[in-house]
Amino acid sequence: MEVKVNGFLKTLGVDYIQVNDHAVQFKYLLPAGAVVTIRRTRQESHFADGAKLGAWYKDAVISMENERTRAGEPLIEGVLRGGQMYFDGEAYMTRAQAIVLLNRFRKWAIETFKG
């Protein structure tokens, strides 16, 4: 992740901490009107089949695969096969998998946006 304030690059651990894949918390107050830009620099998925992700959902998967609830649960998980984790984006999900995903998303959204 690349973080800039008013066009100047900031340093992870010195100027800010990374909260998740798309949010940071600065270690000091920023001046009023400061322009903060955050650019995701990681373009590859950590799933074993990441290179085969469909073009229409690849960016969404990469963006969400590091999201976690406050309890540390991943928001999205893959399918474990042969000791490797696959996203398996073209496979159907069971109703149970859908409920688990929706429940994790609900918890994540409440924690993230309610505070």
Side-chain angles (χ1 to χ4, degrees):
M1 167 179 305
E2 179 183 87
V3 178
K4 292 183 179 181
V5 176
N6 296 327
F8 294 96
L9 187 63
K10 298 301 172 184
T11 305
L12 176 65
V14 175
D15 299 302
Y16 67 93
I17 57 172
Q18 187 170 335
V19 177
N20 54 38
D21 198 33
H22 58 268
V24 299
Q25 181 178 357
F26 284 94
K27 293 187 168 190
Y28 48 83
L29 292 175
L30 295 178
V35 177
V36 177
T37 55
I38 299 174
R39 187 172 69 89
R40 184 178 48 142
T41 55
R42 189 173 71 85
Q43 300 298 321
E44 299 301 321
S45 172
H46 70 262
F47 290 112
D49 58 346
K52 298 177 186 174
L53 294 176
W56 66 274
Y57 61 85
K58 180 179 181 176
D59 285 342
V61 171
I62 291 171
S63 177
M64 295 301 291
E65 64 187 34
N66 289 327
E67 292 291 340
R68 299 201 175 276
T69 65
R70 287 189 182 149
E73 296 174 346
L75 189 59
I76 62 171
E77 287 184 330
V79 177
L80 188 62
R81 282 197 310 259
Q84 291 189 314
M85 192 65 73
Y86 290 83
F87 182 69
D88 207 7
E90 301 298 321
Y92 293 106
M93 68 173 27
T94 66
R95 288 189 304 274
Q97 289 170 322
I99 291 299
V100 169
L101 174 64
L102 290 171
N103 190 48
R104 286 182 182 157
F105 179 79
R106 180 183 60 85
K107 287 179 183 177
W108 171 83
I110 290 169
E111 292 171 353
T112 301
F113 299 111
K114 189 174 182 181

